[in-house]
Amino acid sequence: MASPWPPSRFWQYWALAGMLVLTAAFWWSVEGMTLFKDGAARGQIAYGLLRFSLLILTPALVLVWLLAGWLRRRVGETGYWKMLGLVAMIWAGAALVTRTLAE
């Protein structure tokens, strides 16, 4: 007998989270590159935070979302959601602070 698909609600929630994660990552990539090219990030802190959020945090957010199956086996479902939430909060905070400093 075939096992039911999806095996749990985890993958349904993962797909919903993916819509938010991928939309936010795309938005910040476009917005951040616009800030970067316009030179809007004045000061070392704003410039460094902008580069860090674009080069490190945005790919980390997408990778944590993509590696769901691998991470789920290692840290469990609740651990995975906590990890994704932590990365998302750090990423959102960096994007918010960068936007605030750039304006």
Side-chain angles (χ1 to χ4, degrees):
M1 183 167 146
S3 62
W5 182 258
S8 71
R9 294 217 182 264
F10 175 84
W11 295 108
Q12 294 170 354
Y13 296 137
W14 176 81
L16 288 172
M19 286 187 253
L20 294 172
V21 165
L22 296 176
T23 301
F26 177 76
W27 169 81
W28 182 242
S29 297
V30 171
E31 183 76 19
M33 285 305 294
T34 303
L35 290 173
F36 185 76
K37 289 187 186 248
D38 290 347
R42 294 174 200 90
Q44 288 181 339
I45 294 174
Y47 182 72
L49 190 58
L50 176 61
R51 288 188 60 180
F52 179 71
S53 68
L54 286 173
L55 297 174
I56 304 297
L57 290 178
T58 300
L61 179 64
V62 173
L63 281 174
V64 167
W65 175 76
L66 283 173
L67 295 174
W70 186 80
L71 287 169
R72 182 179 171 215
R73 285 192 290 273
R74 273 119 187 112
V75 297
E77 276 189 41
T78 57
Y80 170 76
W81 292 116
K82 286 178 184 177
M83 187 180 306
L84 181 62
L86 178 66
V87 173
M89 285 188 291
I90 292 169
W91 176 86
L96 180 64
V97 169
T98 303
R99 291 272 311 175
T100 303
L101 290 175
E103 293 181 5

